[in-house]
């Protein structure tokens, strides 16, 4: 009897969510589900151990997310703090949000405080940002956030991330994250990189950027007795990434279609 009541109230909650934004056409719904299932089967075919598929929904409407949510998808990736905050407010609370966009220090507070079901922040590239995010999360009393350190493995100037020629900076951040007296609301989970376009389109079997991230994982695992996870691979290169050891791929346009330009930026 009790469980029946619970199911009914969940259904009710779902109904209120779907009513706050326009419904999709049946054609769009099945397109999204087909795309997702197609990518998922490619992920599973390439994987020899479990790999998470994060659906990157930046600049796509909440109704798109809701269609995949109703299909059972829970992990979604977003790039802009304000967009994530407003989507998280109107969408179900059991969505596991991944923040994968460039993170400015000034936005750490909003991100840590205003997204209750923030599952992971994958783009930490400075100790200062860890401290700000930890403080915001701590004072909000919400569950800890998983952290991925972003590494600029391709050394492209326009990309953020720690660089491999300044490894002491990475050690300093890891030391902080593992110091549980100081850092109580963040948990180091892994490393993240965005492979360069050149590497993702080259004919070579091995993506050098992904290989560098795997090398760094080995160094850190040994130094700190960890088993870090790896977030690498997007629409263009997720199969290669999985073959090289990725445990989490971030796929956007192959699921949702091309993105509109971002207004005002
Ligand atoms: C946008 C984005 C993705 C998804 O890229 P697609 O090529 O559309 O799959 C993945 N990771 C990051 C960091 C992104 O910004």
């Amino acid at each position: 009897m009790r469980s029946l009541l619970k199911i009914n109230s969940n259904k009710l909650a779902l109904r209120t969510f779907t009513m706050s934004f326009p419904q999709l056409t049946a054609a769009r719904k099945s397109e999204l589900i087909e795309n997702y299932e197609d990518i998922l089967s490619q992920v599973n075919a390439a994987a020899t151990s479990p790999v998470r598929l994060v659906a990157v929904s930046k600049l796509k409407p909440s109704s798109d997310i809701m269609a995949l949510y109703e299909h059972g998808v829970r992990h979604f990736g977003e790039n802009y703090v304000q967009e994530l905050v407003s989507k998280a407010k109107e969408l179900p609370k059991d969505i596991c949000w991944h923040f994968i966009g460039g993170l400015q220090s000034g936005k750490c507070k909003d991100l840590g405080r205003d997204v209750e079901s923030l599952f992971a922040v994958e783009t930490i590239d400075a100790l200062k940002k860890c401290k700000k995010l930890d403080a915001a999360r701590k004072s909000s009393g919400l569950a800890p956030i998983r952290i991925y350190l972003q590494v600029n493995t391709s050394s492209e100037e326009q990309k953020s991330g720690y660089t491999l020629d300044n490894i002491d900076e990475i050690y300093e951040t890891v030391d902080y994250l593992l110091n549980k007296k100081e850092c109580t609301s963040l948990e180091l989970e892994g490393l993240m990189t965005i492979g360069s376009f050149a590497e993702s389109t080259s004919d070579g079997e091995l993506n050098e950027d992904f290989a560098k991230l795997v090398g760094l994982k080995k160094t850190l695992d040994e130094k700190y007795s960890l088993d870090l996870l790896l977030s690498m691979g997007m629409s263009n290169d997720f199969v290669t990434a999985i073959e090289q050891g990725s445990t989490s791929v971030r796929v956007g346009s192959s699921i949702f279609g091309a993105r509109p330009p971002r207004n005002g930026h």
Side-chain angles (χ1 to χ4, degrees), residues 171-208:
Y171 292 158
E172 200 185 14
T173 305
V174 173
D175 286 335
Y176 170 78
L177 288 165
L178 297 179
N179 176 358
K180 289 298 142 199
K181 281 194 186 124
E182 239 190 300
C183 175
T184 55
S185 294
L186 305 180
E187 282 163 11
L188 175 61
E189 178 152 291
L191 305 173
M192 179 272 208
T193 198
I194 302 172
S196 65
F197 181 74
E199 280 294 331
S200 77
T201 50
S202 81
D203 290 335
E205 299 254 302
L206 207 69
N207 181 310
E208 296 297 340

Side-chain angles (χ1 to χ4, degrees), residues 56 58 79 100 192 194 234-235 250-253 259:
V56 176
K58 61 176 177 230
N79 283 57
I100 62 167
M192 179 272 208
I194 302 172
M234 321 195 334
S235 288
R250 312 174 305 267
V251 178
S253 45
R259 284 179 288 272

Side-chain angles (χ1 to χ4, degrees), residues 195-227:
S196 65
F197 181 74
E199 280 294 331
S200 77
T201 50
S202 81
D203 290 335
E205 299 254 302
L206 207 69
N207 181 310
E208 296 297 340
D209 300 332
F210 297 158
K212 283 180 196 160
L213 201 69
V214 171
L216 177 63
K217 165 184 157 59
K218 205 161 166 267
T219 304
L220 295 174
D221 282 357
E222 278 168 16
K223 183 171 159 71
Y224 294 97
S225 309
L226 300 168
D227 185 12

Side-chain angles (χ1 to χ4, degrees), residues 51 107 215 253:
V51 172
K107 290 284 168 72
S253 45

